[in-house]
Amino acid sequence: MYNKFLVEKIIKNALIEDMNYGDTTTDLLIDDESISEGIMIAKEDGIVAGIPVAEMVFKLLDDGIEFYDIKNDGEMAKKGDHIVRIKGSTKNILKGERLALNLMQRMSGIATKARLYADAVKEYNTRIVDTRKTTPGLRILEKYAVRIGGCYNHRFNLSDAVMIKDNHIMAVGGIKKAVEKVRRNISHTTKIEVEVKNLKELEEALEVNADIIMLDNMDIETMKQAVEITDKRAILEASGNITIERLKDIAKIGVDIISVGALTHSVKAMDISFMIIRS
């Protein structure tokens, strides 16, 4: 699912940010013996994501807190639906509720958007993938949410694969030089992706046997030609100015991958609230 140790680090850093010297209000108002029960409620329709992350928030504060899933990650929640139920120390529930909500709201918003994009191309053999346009420090959670929504992940970081983009090409002096130079120094297990802006650059990338070729900001007609020219000699990825309205037209062409930065960089958080129902 995700790396537990990385997620714990994210949560611990966020808890320190939120209460570096404790929770003044809760610590002064709530008795240590107080026990409460609360629920998370969907305030709008959406795909739920981040329930195990929210549970980790509360368990790191107090492993005695009881956490009950009502919905599961990947399920649709309608407005008014209960998502999880929590029971335990009132103090620790109150200390964790905002962080748990912040993470779940963000992740659920991403999953909801990813489901819309995935559904738009379900008739085609094309994968919708995310990008590195993620919130700094939250990438592992946001990319998990993309998968929960039904889309796929591109590389997680700069170490994952070789991606030779326009600025690399300009700096080195051409696609051929860039690919040949990097190929001399990488492991046989590492794939090479090259970004191209036109059909001439596509031909150059094919000549040097790039594994993946990114068609950057091309119109539909040019992408059609690129698919024909490539003839399955490389994986083709469409990228740039991708909107949900264009998805089907691009998928119809026969590209293998469509990368969409909007899955993470401009998503609206899903509205989820928390309410104590008995104490």
Side-chain angles (χ1 to χ4, degrees):
M1 183 174 62
Y2 48 69
N3 186 316
K4 175 185 175 181
F5 303 109
L6 284 178
V7 176
E8 280 191 359
K9 183 178 179 181
I10 290 168
I11 292 170
K12 286 176 180 177
N13 286 339
L15 287 170
I16 291 167
E17 176 185 60
D18 209 28
M19 50 177 182
N20 54 341
Y21 294 110
D23 177 348
T24 304
T25 309
T26 298
D27 287 339
L28 291 174
L29 283 179
I30 308 300
D31 294 334
D32 290 343
E33 299 79 17
S34 176
I35 300 295
S36 292
E37 185 174 343
I39 52 172
M40 285 188 183
I41 307 168
K43 302 299 288 295
E44 60 182 329
D45 296 354
I47 302 300
V48 176
I51 289 175
V53 177
E55 181 176 11
M56 195 180 293
V57 171
F58 291 109
K59 293 292 189 181
L60 282 172
L61 284 164
D62 180 353
D63 61 10
I65 289 177
E66 298 170 17
F67 192 94
Y68 304 97
D69 300 355
I70 299 171
K71 295 286 185 181
N72 296 309
D73 275 6
E75 285 187 35
M76 167 65 75
K78 295 289 188 180
K79 182 178 180 180
D81 282 353
H82 295 180
I83 298 172
V84 298
R85 183 167 62 87
I86 304 161
K87 184 178 181 181
S89 162
T90 308
K91 272 190 169 183
N92 290 322
I93 288 175
L94 291 174
K95 288 176 181 180
E97 65 161 304
R98 174 44 51 199
L99 175 57
L101 284 172
N102 284 350
L103 294 174
M104 272 196 66
Q105 288 180 137
R106 175 74 181 164
M107 293 173 72
S108 298
I110 290 169
T112 301
K113 191 161 194 174
R115 181 66 55 84
L116 288 173
Y117 277 70
D119 284 348
V121 299
K122 62 185 177 183
E123 300 169 20
Y124 305 96
N125 293 320
T126 303
R127 284 189 172 191
I128 308 296
V129 305
D130 55 25
T131 70
R132 284 171 44 246
K133 295 176 182 176
T134 54
T135 307
L138 297 183
R139 182 171 295 165
I140 190 172
L141 300 182
E142 294 184 351
K143 282 183 171 282
Y144 167 76
V146 166
R147 296 197 305 278
I148 287 296
C151 293
Y152 296 85
N153 297 143
H154 208 299
R155 58 180 180 164
F156 268 73
N157 55 50
L158 295 171
S159 304
D160 266 1
V162 173
M163 184 183 287
I164 302 172
K165 304 196 77 175
D166 53 354
N167 287 328
H168 297 113
I169 294 164
M170 181 64 69
V172 174
I175 289 172
K176 187 172 186 292
K177 283 185 179 178
V179 172
E180 288 178 347
K181 184 172 184 177
V182 79
R183 186 167 277 137
R184 288 195 297 268
N185 294 288
I186 59 170
S187 162
H188 66 285
T189 63
T190 304
K191 289 190 175 182
I192 298 174
E193 179 165 5
V194 177
E195 178 184 276
V196 302
K197 301 187 295 294
N198 52 54
L199 297 178
K200 180 177 180 297
E201 291 186 349
L202 172 71
E203 295 278 14
E204 289 181 61
L206 288 169
E207 285 174 15
V208 289
N209 298 312
D211 300 294
I212 309 155
I213 300 174
M214 179 191 289
L215 309 176
D216 183 47
N217 280 293
M218 288 186 183
D219 58 40
I220 296 292
E221 188 53 43
T222 307
M223 280 193 276
K224 281 182 182 176
Q225 293 178 60
V227 171
E228 291 170 5
I229 291 166
T230 302
D231 193 26
K232 301 191 181 300
R233 288 181 286 164
I235 294 170
L236 287 183
E237 174 185 338
S239 182
N241 194 30
I242 305 294
T243 62
I244 195 160
E245 293 78 16
R246 297 184 69 214
L247 278 183
K248 277 193 178 181
D249 289 337
I250 296 171
K252 284 178 188 176
I253 292 166
V255 296
D256 304 287
I257 306 291
I258 303 174
S259 53
V260 183
L263 288 178
T264 54
H265 74 56
S266 56
V267 74
K268 175 187 173 293
M270 180 177 164
D271 193 1
I272 302 171
S273 68
F274 175 79
M275 180 185 302
I276 286 182
I277 55 173
R278 61 179 61 88
S279 184

